[in-house]
């Protein structure tokens, strides 16, 4: 209900409203924040293809509010929404393009590429000394690349290395002057010599992401490239970028709730991974081509990989066409079951990729899924499965989604306002899916875990026995707290090393309940296609089946 | 009247632009010259100067990245000797191991052509901005290089597949408008027959990949000549070109067009406006569906369902009722259709 708070004296009701808007490359999400019974709530939210006009979005939101708004303002709700102040974020207009030249594809090249991609750059061309191409082809490739910046990596700090000088020379020759900056992330001992290849001020030295054969140090390079992309591609107003806003909101949420939080936002073009600890210390990775239109999905091998991960028998050619159509028309939605299965297969694959490019997610307290495909999955259980299959968050974790896509816009506020916004909208911002106990390891023929669910005021459930490769879903409604008593097999781990095999943990329920997941990490699947589909189908059915409580134990 | 659109031609580094701002250019006009690098040679530096290889950097008077002319000094010791560049080239690296300089000789001058007709609006770092007065069609994908040629319609109906047998010597240098699909064999034959480009409603991803793989292998083996571009208009799979657009192509057969495969872009000169598309269709609009099971099929939007309804996949969304051309009435997510509008109310 919208309340008139400002203009009673003039006899015309108004309303305190604001809009949180996330303008994505394919979909625009908007949430109406208004006051109801003295509290700020998300009163309605809607999403539409970004190609549609704003009037349509306002009309949809107005229709959702119809009948719920105060009768004094309901006739004017569309104009109130159109005039309402808005907090908006958007997907970057275009990603930063960088060319990479490195000594080794496996060591320096890999490290530099990961740092660049995690900072939101697209590596449009990569050459390495060991890429098997003649020097002249490498030069031609670099000369043809359309880039905003150059990145050179290679040589261990202690050893220097002629290879690094060679690739630096290649970049100098290919670049041929101009304004584009060159980032030197190679051996510290070579900085001066490499600097001499370029005009004064062009070379920007950064700490070596691969200082030695056995050590990686990506953070300084990633942070530098974070700043560079803001300066070169999205000048000013970085807070209004959806990936930045999302990361800030996750960090503040972690600090305010004193939880370790991981948020993943999967859009059409961008994928963002944001993790933060109890103190709000945050790390985020923004992959510019990591979303559903990612070329990795349609690259050779991609469709076959996705086809293998589906519980339905869909041939690789159809999967390839479906993925290409998803890339070509990201504002459309999967209409058939088969297309939805392909899209969900793609989401799992992209989340796995996103997770693999950083430290393993262990010891997370809260996992948040955002982006239209996850946040608006037809069933909450499907969203839960996407997140658990894709990320494999080892440990005991609460899982939630951001259905209105409100985290990004909230993260565009000033730091102190984010906390206020999160606190004000705490009941509506996230939809809790429930909790998950995800373990790694297990021995065939043995139980992975035996779990008893003690519910406050209700009879206990279990013990529920979960074998390797199995999962069980236990009902636990939203808001209900339960104490889990978990007995682990010695070959099974919940992440952090523990001496005790018996663990107690408190969890809160949600739309799905509590998922007891002993499917290992990464997921292990049979090689034979029939067997694999049977296993995948069984997992899907476990998630989707109407959750029935297992045998009740003693109260 | 067609409004001119701006087109950016990416120039390979090292291109010396010959076109001036304000100049009118034609698709086959030379807009710049470039000398590409050839396989590099090692030029001994320390040996002729009787120095140790490790001393090379002290001797050099050029640095990696620099362009040198033939006979330009590369290294010298005052009063004791000099090493001259044997050919004009790009300095790539200096080796402290063997005391040599890696020099990539510059090849013969090559011409750079823009493949578009229009007026040069700006010359920027690495690109040329052209004002192109042509009908501009953005496809959903494409492949290959920039090409230009005369438009030729290669199939009788928009839903027909372009067969290899339909391509003969008459199509050489032309841009062929196909139908709903072309196999890798057809595409390979088209290229071999000297066809400049192909416009298709759809293509199977597998066929396109097979074709690209064949081209890559041929390029690696050497001997491949001529550029070839493909433009995909509707989507992947067997998808016919929208009949309205197909009629437009028919009406414009014989006009010169420029096709930019990698950018998924086609310009047709001296043309009437294209049938346009509107993302949000309204009741009464002629529409085209973009996702299965109706992908590429046209019809009329006869109604919008109130509130959200679940699509077959279970996704709650706004649904439209479409009467397809085969008479079937079906609910389709509104996000999956586009209105197709005849140019200027025709």
């Amino acid at each position: 209900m919208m309340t008139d708070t400002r203009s009673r004296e003039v006899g015309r009701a108004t309303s305190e409203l604001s809009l949180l808007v996330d303008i994505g490359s394919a979909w625009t999400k908007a949430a109406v924040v208004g006051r109801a019974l003295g509290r700020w709530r998300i009163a309605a939210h809607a999403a539409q293809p970004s190609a549609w006009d704003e009037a349509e979005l306002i009309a949809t939101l107005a229709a959702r509010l119809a009948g719920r708004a105060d009768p004094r303002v309901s006739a004017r709700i569309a104009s109130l929404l159109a005039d309402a102040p808005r907090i908006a974020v958007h997907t970057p207009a275009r990603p930063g393009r960088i060319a990479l030249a490195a000594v080794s594809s496996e060591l320096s090249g890999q490290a530099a590429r990961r740092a660049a991609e995690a900072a939101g750059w697209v590596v449009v061309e990569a050459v390495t000394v060991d890429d098997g191409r003649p020097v002249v082809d490498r030069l031609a490739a670099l000369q043809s690349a359309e880039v905003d910046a150059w990145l050179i990596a290679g040589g261990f700090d202690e050893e220097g290395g002629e290879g690094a000088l060679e690739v630096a020379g290649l970049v100098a020759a290919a670049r041929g002057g101009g304004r584009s900056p060159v980032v030197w992330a190679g051996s510290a001992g070579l900085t001066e010599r490499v600097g001499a290849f370029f005009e004064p001020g062009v070379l920007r030295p950064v700490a070596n992401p691969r200082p030695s054969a056995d050590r990686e140090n990506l953070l300084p390079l990633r942070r530098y490239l974070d700043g560079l992309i803001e300066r070169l591609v999205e000048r000013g107003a970085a807070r209004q970028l959806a990936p930045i806003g999302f990361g800030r909101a996750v960090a503040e949420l972690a600090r305010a709730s004193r939880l370790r939080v991981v948020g993943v936002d999967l859009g059409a073009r961008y994928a963002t991974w944001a993790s933060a600890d109890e103190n709000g210390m945050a790390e985020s990775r923004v992959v510019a081509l990591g979303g559903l239109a990612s070329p990795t999905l349609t690259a050779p091998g991609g469709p076959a990989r996705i086809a293998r991960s589906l519980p339905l028998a869909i041939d690789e050619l159809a999967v390839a066409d479906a993925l290409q159509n998803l890339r070509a028309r990201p504002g459309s939605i999967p209409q058939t079951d088969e297309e939805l299965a392909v899209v969900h297969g793609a989401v799992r694959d992209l989340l796995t990729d996103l997770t693999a490019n950083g430290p393993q997610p262990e010891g997370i307290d809260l996992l948040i899924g955002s982006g239209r495909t996850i946040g608006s999955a037809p069933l909450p259980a499907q969203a839960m499965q996407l997140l658990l299959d894709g990320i494999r968050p080892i440990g005991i974790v609460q899982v939630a989604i951001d259905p209105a896509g409100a985290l990004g816009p909230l993260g565009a506020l000033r730091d102190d306002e984010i906390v206020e916004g999160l606190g004000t909208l705490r009941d509506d911002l996230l939809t809790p899916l429930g909790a998950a106990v995800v373990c790694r390891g297990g021995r065939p023929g043995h139980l992975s875990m035996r779990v008893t669910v003690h519910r406050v005021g209700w009879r206990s459930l279990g013990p529920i026995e979960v074998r390797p490769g199995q999962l069980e879903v236990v009902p636990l409604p939203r808001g209900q707290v339960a104490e889990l008593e978990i007995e682990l097999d010695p070959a099974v781990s919940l992440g952090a090393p523990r001496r005790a095999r018996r663990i107690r943990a408190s969890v809160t329920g949600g739309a799905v309940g509590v998922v007891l997941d002993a499917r290992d990490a990464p997921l292990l699947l049979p090689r034979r296609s029939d067997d694999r589909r049977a296993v995948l189908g069984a997992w899907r059915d476990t998630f989707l089946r109407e959750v029935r409580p297992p045998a009740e134990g003693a109260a | 009247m067609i409004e001119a659109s701006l087109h950016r031609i990416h120039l390979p580094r090292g291109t010396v632009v010959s076109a001036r701002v304000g100049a009118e250019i034609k698709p086959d006009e030379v807009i710049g010259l470039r000398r590409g690098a050839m396989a590099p040679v090692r030029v001994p530096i320390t040996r002729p100067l009787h120095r140790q290889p490790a001393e090379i950097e002290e001797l050099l008077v050029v640095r990696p990245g620099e362009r040198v002319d033939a006979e330009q000094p590369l290294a010298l010791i005052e009063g004791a000797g000099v090493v001259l560049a044997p050919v004009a080239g790009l300095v790539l690296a200096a080796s402290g191991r063997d005391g040599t300089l890696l020099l990539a000789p510059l090849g013969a001058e090559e011409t750079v052509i823009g493949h578009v007709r229009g007026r040069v609006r700006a010359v920027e770092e690495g690109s040329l901005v052209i004002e192109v007065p042509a009908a501009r069609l953005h496809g959903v994908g494409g492949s290959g290089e920039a090409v230009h040629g005369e438009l030729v319609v290669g199939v009788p109906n928009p839903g027909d597949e372009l067969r290899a047998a339909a391509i003969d010597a008459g199509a050489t240098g032309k841009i062929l408008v196909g139908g709903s699909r072309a196999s890798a064999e057809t595409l390979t034959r088209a290229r071999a027959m000297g066809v400049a480009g192909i416009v298709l409603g759809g293509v199977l991803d597998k066929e396109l990949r097979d074709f690209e793989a064949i081209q890559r292998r041929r390029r690696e083996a050497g001997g491949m000549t001529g550029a070839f571009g493909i433009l995909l208009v509707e989507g992947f799979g067997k998808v016919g070109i929208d009949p309205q657009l197909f009629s437009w192509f028919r009406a414009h057969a014989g006009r010169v067009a420029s096709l930019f495969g990698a950018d998924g872009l086609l310009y047709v000169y001296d043309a009437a406006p294209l049938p346009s598309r509107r993302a949000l269709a309204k009741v009464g609009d002629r529409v085209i569906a973009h996702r299965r099971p109706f992908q590429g099929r046209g019809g009329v939007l006869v109604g919008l369902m109130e509130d959200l309804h679940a699509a077959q996949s279970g996704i709650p969304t706004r649904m439209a009722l479409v009467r397809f051309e085969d008479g079937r009435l079906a609910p389709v997510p509104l996000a999956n259709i586009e209105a197709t509008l005849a140019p200027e109310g025709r």
Side-chain angles (χ1 to χ4, degrees):
Chain A
M1 181 181 287
M2 305 300 162
T3 55
D4 170 14
T5 57
R6 281 183 295 189
S7 308
R8 285 198 181 105
E9 66 283 1
V10 294
R12 182 170 165 79
T14 63
S15 176
E16 287 183 81
L17 291 174
S18 59
L19 291 179
L20 301 175
V21 186
D22 180 351
I23 306 161
S25 58
W27 284 80
T28 294
K29 286 82 65 183
V32 181
V33 179
R35 289 190 84 151
L37 301 174
R39 283 188 54 203
W40 289 97
R41 306 289 306 258
I42 292 183
H45 63 87
Q48 69 173 36
S50 295
W52 293 7
D53 52 29
E54 190 189 291
E56 190 62 26
L57 186 62
I58 297 294
T60 305
L61 289 169
R64 303 243 163 114
L65 287 168
R68 288 194 285 154
D70 188 306
R72 288 170 296 169
V73 296
S74 57
R76 291 181 293 118
I77 198 75
S79 66
L80 288 171
L81 287 172
D83 295 339
R86 58 190 66 190
I87 304 156
V89 290
H90 62 271
T91 299
R94 71 166 179 88
R97 299 158 304 182
I98 203 163
L100 167 66
V103 174
S104 126
S105 53
E106 292 292 318
L107 298 176
S108 53
Q110 181 88 278
R113 177 186 277 272
R114 278 171 43 211
E117 288 180 343
W121 290 86
V122 174
V123 179
V124 292
E125 187 57 68
V127 301
T128 55
V129 173
D130 59 1
D131 64 11
R133 289 188 279 185
V135 175
V136 67
D137 287 1
R138 280 184 221 137
L139 179 63
L142 290 175
Q143 281 179 322
S144 305
E146 213 174 336
V147 297
D148 302 298
W150 306 80
L151 173 60
I152 312 171
F156 300 134
D157 279 349
E158 296 296 313
E159 297 165 25
E162 197 144 300
L165 290 172
E166 212 173 282
V167 290
L170 203 60
V171 168
R175 182 176 166 276
R179 289 191 301 268
S180 50
V182 180
V183 180
W184 165 246
S187 168
L190 298 176
T191 304
E192 208 174 307
R193 290 166 74 188
V194 171
F197 297 178
F198 302 92
E199 305 88 342
V202 166
L203 196 77
R204 325 273 173 94
V206 185
N208 193 346
R210 195 78 199 211
S212 63
D214 53 2
R215 199 163 82 82
E216 222 176 52
N217 179 28
L218 302 187
L219 212 54
L221 176 59
R222 224 187 65 204
R223 292 219 165 115
Y224 182 80
L225 292 172
D226 267 337
L228 189 65
I229 204 167
E230 277 178 41
R231 290 197 295 279
L232 287 181
V233 186
E234 287 281 347
R235 287 195 192 117
R239 268 194 347 224
Q240 269 70 51
L241 297 180
I244 307 277
F246 182 75
R248 282 162 51 85
V250 166
E252 282 305 325
L253 189 64
R255 203 166 62 83
S257 58
R258 311 290 301 164
L259 296 173
R260 286 160 297 178
V261 182
V262 164
V264 286
D265 181 8
L266 196 70
R269 283 212 330 247
Y270 277 71
T272 307
W273 170 285
S275 61
D277 65 15
E278 308 86 320
N279 303 313
M281 289 301 290
E283 269 306 317
S284 61
R285 300 196 293 274
V286 180
V287 184
L289 292 180
L292 283 160
S294 170
T296 60
L297 296 174
T298 50
R305 195 173 64 243
I306 306 290
R308 276 199 303 274
S309 74
L310 302 180
L312 305 175
I314 307 176
D315 76 64
E316 191 188 323
L317 302 189
V319 170
D321 287 341
L323 292 170
Q324 287 282 19
N325 284 321
L326 185 65
R327 185 191 57 75
R329 299 197 183 273
S332 59
I333 62 167
Q335 188 170 346
T336 63
D337 289 336
E338 287 78 14
E339 284 209 320
L340 183 70
V342 173
V343 171
H344 281 182
V347 170
R348 283 192 292 266
D349 193 68
L350 292 167
L351 289 179
T352 304
D353 247 18
L354 193 62
T355 308
N357 282 326
Q360 280 305 297
E362 291 180 359
I364 307 169
D365 298 314
L366 173 62
L367 172 64
I368 303 167
S370 189
R372 188 172 152 74
T373 317
I374 299 173
S376 306
L379 297 168
Q382 287 168 321
M384 177 73 113
Q385 189 182 4
L386 290 176
L387 290 167
L388 295 185
D389 287 7
I391 294 173
R392 307 301 298 142
I394 301 298
I396 302 160
V397 59
Q398 293 291 142
V399 185
I401 52 172
D402 167 24
L407 280 178
L410 279 179
L413 294 167
R414 289 202 318 261
D415 286 352
D416 52 331
E417 291 174 337
I418 299 178
V419 183
E420 196 186 332
L422 291 171
T424 308
L425 300 175
R426 63 187 179 278
D427 293 340
D428 302 319
L429 201 55
L430 300 177
T431 298
L433 299 179
V437 181
V438 183
C439 66
R440 183 193 288 130
R443 295 178 294 172
H446 291 74
L447 288 179
S448 284
M449 53 182 157
R450 182 182 279 119
V451 182
T452 308
V453 183
H454 301 287
R455 299 172 297 172
V456 179
W458 296 76
R459 290 168 70 90
S460 295
L461 298 174
I464 302 152
E465 297 182 337
V466 192
R467 295 183 177 278
Q470 276 188 342
L471 63 87
E472 293 287 342
V473 182
V474 183
L476 190 65
R478 182 174 179 167
Q480 190 171 355
V481 178
E483 186 87 2
L484 302 183
E485 192 181 326
I486 306 165
E487 198 181 326
L488 288 177
D489 180 76
V492 160
S493 155
L494 281 180
R498 298 169 199 267
R499 268 197 203 147
R501 302 315 304 171
R502 203 179 275 271
I503 299 160
R504 291 184 82 90
S506 179
V507 294
T508 310
V512 179
V514 180
V515 179
L516 308 174
D517 185 341
R519 296 178 296 161
D520 209 349
L523 290 174
L524 290 178
L525 289 165
R527 282 175 169 240
R528 277 194 63 232
S529 51
D530 288 348
D531 295 346
R532 190 174 56 246
R533 273 200 291 274
V535 168
L536 288 163
W539 288 345
R540 178 200 56 196
D541 294 346
T542 305
F543 273 107
L544 296 185
R545 157 169 80 222
E546 198 175 330
V547 179
R548 269 183 238 104
E552 290 186 350
Chain B
M1 179 70 186
I2 293 264
E3 264 185 47
S5 47
L6 291 183
H7 178 80
R8 193 176 296 271
I9 302 172
H10 169 61
L11 301 169
R13 284 186 170 72
T15 302
V16 180
V17 178
S18 55
R20 303 256 167 111
V21 174
E24 295 286 338
I25 60 165
K26 293 182 197 144
D28 53 2
E29 190 167 318
V30 174
I31 55 170
L33 294 169
R34 181 174 180 270
R35 292 180 73 183
M38 301 198 302
V41 292
R42 291 213 168 263
V43 182
I45 299 290
T46 51
R47 195 154 40 89
L49 296 175
H50 311 291
R51 290 296 178 95
Q52 293 299 314
E55 295 173 75
I56 185 167
E57 286 188 29
E58 297 155 26
L59 307 172
L60 289 174
V61 292
V62 294
R63 57 186 167 87
E66 220 168 282
R67 189 176 164 152
V68 294
D69 294 324
E71 305 293 310
Q72 181 180 330
L74 297 176
L76 62 83
I77 300 175
E78 215 56 64
V82 62
V83 179
L84 302 177
V87 287
L90 274 171
V91 178
L92 297 184
S95 170
R97 259 184 246 135
D98 59 7
T100 61
L101 191 74
L102 195 63
L103 183 72
L106 294 174
E109 228 163 39
E110 295 161 11
T111 55
V112 177
I113 62 168
H115 292 284
V116 281
R117 195 174 89 190
R119 197 168 60 87
V120 179
R121 180 79 169 267
V123 180
E124 296 177 351
E125 187 184 325
S127 64
L128 208 60
V129 182
I130 313 289
E131 209 173 280
V132 184
R136 175 185 164 116
L137 176 65
H138 243 301
V140 294
S143 164
E145 299 98 339
V147 293
H148 67 274
E150 203 177 283
L151 270 186
V152 177
V153 177
V155 289
N157 299 299
D160 291 348
E161 184 175 334
L162 181 66
R163 305 271 176 196
I167 298 165
D168 56 23
T172 303
K174 309 274 169 62
I175 292 176
L176 207 55
V177 179
S180 57
R181 180 185 162 183
S183 65
E185 183 199 351
T186 305
L187 297 172
T188 307
R189 179 176 163 83
R191 177 155 204 168
M193 297 295 286
V195 171
I198 290 190
V199 179
L200 292 167
V203 68
L204 266 64
D205 174 74
K206 172 82 166 60
E207 306 274 20
L208 192 58
R209 290 207 177 280
D210 285 352
F211 170 70
E212 285 171 345
I214 293 166
Q215 302 312 305
R216 205 167 33 249
R217 282 197 292 273
R218 284 188 60 194
R219 206 166 22 247
E220 282 162 9
M224 197 161 77
T225 54
F228 184 74
I230 300 169
L231 174 74
L232 201 59
V233 176
E234 305 289 357
F236 285 81
K238 189 174 190 297
V239 194
I241 297 181
D242 169 33
Q244 219 168 44
L245 180 61
F246 190 76
S247 303
W248 185 91
F249 276 125
R250 266 187 186 292
H252 288 80
R255 307 285 163 91
V256 175
S258 300
L259 191 156
F260 295 84
D263 300 331
L265 197 58
L266 180 81
Y267 294 105
V268 181
Y269 305 99
D270 307 313
L274 277 157
S276 59
R277 301 254 171 119
R278 193 179 57 233
L280 179 60
K282 295 178 181 147
V283 174
D285 280 345
R286 203 190 156 274
V287 295
I288 187 148
H290 293 312
R291 294 292 284 256
R292 285 179 189 172
F294 304 110
Q295 190 186 15
R297 287 165 69 177
V300 175
L301 176 57
V302 294
L304 289 169
M305 292 161 86
E306 297 231 332
D307 297 327
L308 300 181
H309 290 264
Q312 187 196 329
S313 59
I315 296 176
T317 186
R318 293 183 64 190
M319 299 292 278
L321 276 176
V322 178
R323 172 80 63 192
F324 285 102
E325 276 151 5
D326 60 4
R328 184 173 169 189
L329 184 69
V332 181
L334 189 58
N336 289 3
I337 56 175
E338 263 184 323
T340 62
L341 310 168
E344 289 163 12
R346 262 183 282 172

